[in-house]
Amino acid sequence: MSTLTFTMLKPDAVSNGYAGKIINDITEAGFKIVALKYTKLSPEMAGRFYAVHKERGFYNDLVSYMSSGPIYVAVLQKDNAVADFRTLIGATDPKKAEAGTIRAKYAKSIEANAVHGSDSDENANIEANFFFTQFERF
Ligand code: CMP
């Protein structure tokens, strides 16, 4: 069944010039881009987006990193989108990501790990709604 997931191409991926290559990998893997935006998070927005990690030791660094430069945000559609996208991007820590995955190819560190991918259908919906209205999806 066709389902949705949400992704961000993070500041490291954008500043290193990998955004085009990553978008190509995503579409080659069969994902349809139904919404796409180039934007920059304020610290307040980054904090709200990652509020589930508030108690984690890396939260403050993550918020300042995610608001340090422009990002791309996108909603993607495919059968089994959430799980298939997580397979495509690989483990959170690029050192543990399987060869050929987006994080293995393009990420710098566990924090600057090139891309975000939703971890459930419920969070995909919440995250897509954080950035896009229904009228911005095609
Ligand atoms: P993401 O999948 O977007 O979800 C939470 C983010 O926190 C993660 O990717 C990393 O960018 C960042 N992060 C930094 N340190 C850690 C850590 N030790 N474990 C998990 N995520 C981390």
Side-chain angles (χ1 to χ4, degrees):
M1 195 190 55
S2 194
T3 55
L4 298 179
T5 192
F6 170 82
T7 188
M8 296 191 283
L9 311 193
K10 298 186 180 183
D12 64 294
V14 175
S15 66
N16 288 331
Y18 293 143
K21 288 185 198 299
I22 293 172
I23 289 171
N24 189 58
D25 285 2
I26 291 170
T27 54
E28 289 270 299
F31 291 86
K32 181 185 172 215
I33 296 171
V34 300
L36 177 66
K37 192 182 292 190
Y38 184 58
T39 186
K40 186 166 184 260
L41 292 173
S42 64
E44 190 272 330
M45 280 181 81
R48 270 200 290 132
F49 185 88
Y50 279 117
V52 287
H53 296 305
K54 217 176 217 156
E55 306 309 325
R56 308 287 292 272
F58 58 80
Y59 176 75
N60 287 341
D61 283 347
L62 176 63
V63 168
S64 61
Y65 163 65
M66 284 305 298
S67 53
S68 67
I71 60 173
Y72 288 87
V73 294
V75 181
L76 307 173
Q77 184 178 49
K78 189 183 176 298
D79 289 353
N80 203 30
V82 166
D84 285 3
F85 192 69
R86 289 173 76 82
T87 301
L88 178 68
I89 66 180
T92 303
D93 182 353
K95 291 201 279 293
K96 296 183 185 150
E98 229 178 283
T101 59
I102 288 176
R103 283 171 172 154
K105 289 199 282 184
Y106 306 115
K108 280 206 305 213
S109 66
I110 193 165
E111 176 177 81
N113 63 354
V115 287
H116 167 80
S118 306
D119 64 3
S120 66
D121 289 344
E122 188 191 356
N123 282 336
N125 196 42
I126 291 168
E127 292 170 0
N129 288 337
F130 189 91
F131 286 99
F132 299 101
T133 70
Q134 292 299 330
F135 305 104
E136 294 172 309
R137 304 177 193 189
F138 307 100

